Amino acid sequence: MNTINEVKKQEEYIEKIKELNTGKNLKYHILTMGCQLNENDSEKLCGMLENMGYLKTDNFQEADLNLFNTCCVRENAEDKLFGKLGELKRVKEEKGTIIAIGGCMMQEKHITDKIKESYPFVDILFGTHTLYRFPEDLYKALIEKKKQEDILDIDGEIYEGLPIKRDSNIKASVTIMNGCNNFCTYCIVPYVRGRERSREPKEIIKEVEELAKQGYKEITLLGQNVNSYLRVEKEKGKPFEAYEGVNSFATLLRAINKIEGIERIRFVSPHPKDFTDDVIEAIRDCDKVCKLIHLPLQSGNTKVLKEMNRRYTKEQYLNLVDKMKAQIPNLTLSTDIIVGFPGETEEEFEDTLDVVRKVKFEQVYMFIYSRRVGTPGDKMENQIPEDIKHNRFDRLKALVESQIEENNQKYVGTIQKVLVEGTSKNNENMLTGRTDSNKVVIFEGDKHLINQMIELEIVSEHMWYLKGSVYDGSKK
Ligand code: SAH
Ligand code: SF4
Ligand code: F3S
């Protein structure tokens, strides 16, 4: 069945469930783990469920449907799922809530086996390649009152036109590609998300145009390796339509930059090995593309990088940073780092600290290496003891925090363009927004400023946020 007919079929299941649910005031609860791609998938699941007549609740105990969208990139996500399933057992016994688990963890056989054995009360298991089929799985679970397991090992197609219920009405995520072909040796993602495949340029442009019409100001383009957008298609001679001249990541940025109403464009994650000059030039030329670039480092040591299969050296990474800094005015950088990869020596870890000192990242997402079943890293013999991993993590964290304090000082007294996102969580009388470099700024202002780009003068810094005041233009 082609994808259009398949989506139609799922829409019919949505309608059937809506009929079943009429007048019942049913509620659903969703717990999303993992990255922004998973969050975007959850927005699609929420879109389906709300079209079926379910209302969202934050309280899992009152939900008629409890849904999990899982991640397996590190071990702690597994502990979280099993903990929650334990809590849900009682709700299931008392109330009969339907339990459905989807996402990356469902692509791991040892996990689904464990769920079937230890948590037999789970109703639906579905994988990353069958998310679009959730309405059908749910309908069958409701009608047949039988467990559903809907997991495929082969790469799924890209299904367009499924409903979506977005978390924000200011910022939106748009997935531009699925899967990953890089096989970094620590990483489970290529095994659970399948091979790289890009969405058609036309579908992406249309989605962003629609978002602009709805009033969205900021778009984040998502993929495991966004700067290889359309690469596989070109290499394999798979046909695609170069709509609006889009035939690469750089041309996609340029095309989205032209869409009226959109004021900011972000993207995660690019891979340093694919950061070609045309992408650097597009970032430089496109006024809406934020100058905060996430450039995952993982390790600062060439030998560790080689064992990680990252395909760049310490020097190549630093040269890329220099080139980007020279070509893109006001560039800031954020990164991901793993400490304690198998075999990492003290000296090799020092190289990571060295790169962090040199680059002065705006933000660093730090991770302790976590063994993932089925990856080459898991089979490496020289695993690093937990206490050494934690010690390195703490030292990296201390360095990063000292740099954040120093970096924050640079903002004080400057004028920053901020997209106002809403009222502050901790103080209803204050508004909150973000700078181009993704720094949170809290300030006093009227609520009509929400969803506007305004100028703020930064008055003070507080580690994780800045304080600002509305700028009247007098100091320029
Ligand atoms: N495709 C993206 C992100 C992948 S997952 C990229 O290449 O940057 C997000 C981050 O999780 C990775 O960048 C890495 O730093 C971290 N990560 C992945 N696998 C891990 C593992 N086994 N242990 C610890 N951290 C891991
Ligand atoms: Fe994992 Fe590497 Fe792919 Fe990122 S690029 S998803 S770290 S294999
Ligand atoms: Fe996790 Fe899957 Fe994202 S493993 S990090 S949710 S792609």
Side-chain angles (χ1 to χ4, degrees), residues 420 431 443-454 470:
V420 186
L431 296 179
F443 64 102
E444 250 176 73
D446 192 274
K447 288 200 171 73
H448 81 269
L449 293 173
I450 293 171
N451 201 12
Q452 286 189 35
M453 282 277 256
I454 61 163
V470 177

Side-chain angles (χ1 to χ4, degrees), residues 73-74 186 224 296 298 310 336 338 367-370 372:
V73 81
R74 286 172 294 273
Y186 50 82
Q224 293 299 355
Q298 311 301 1
R310 289 292 291 178
D336 287 354
I338 298 176
F367 307 105
I368 291 174
Y369 172 71
S370 171
R372 303 287 73 206

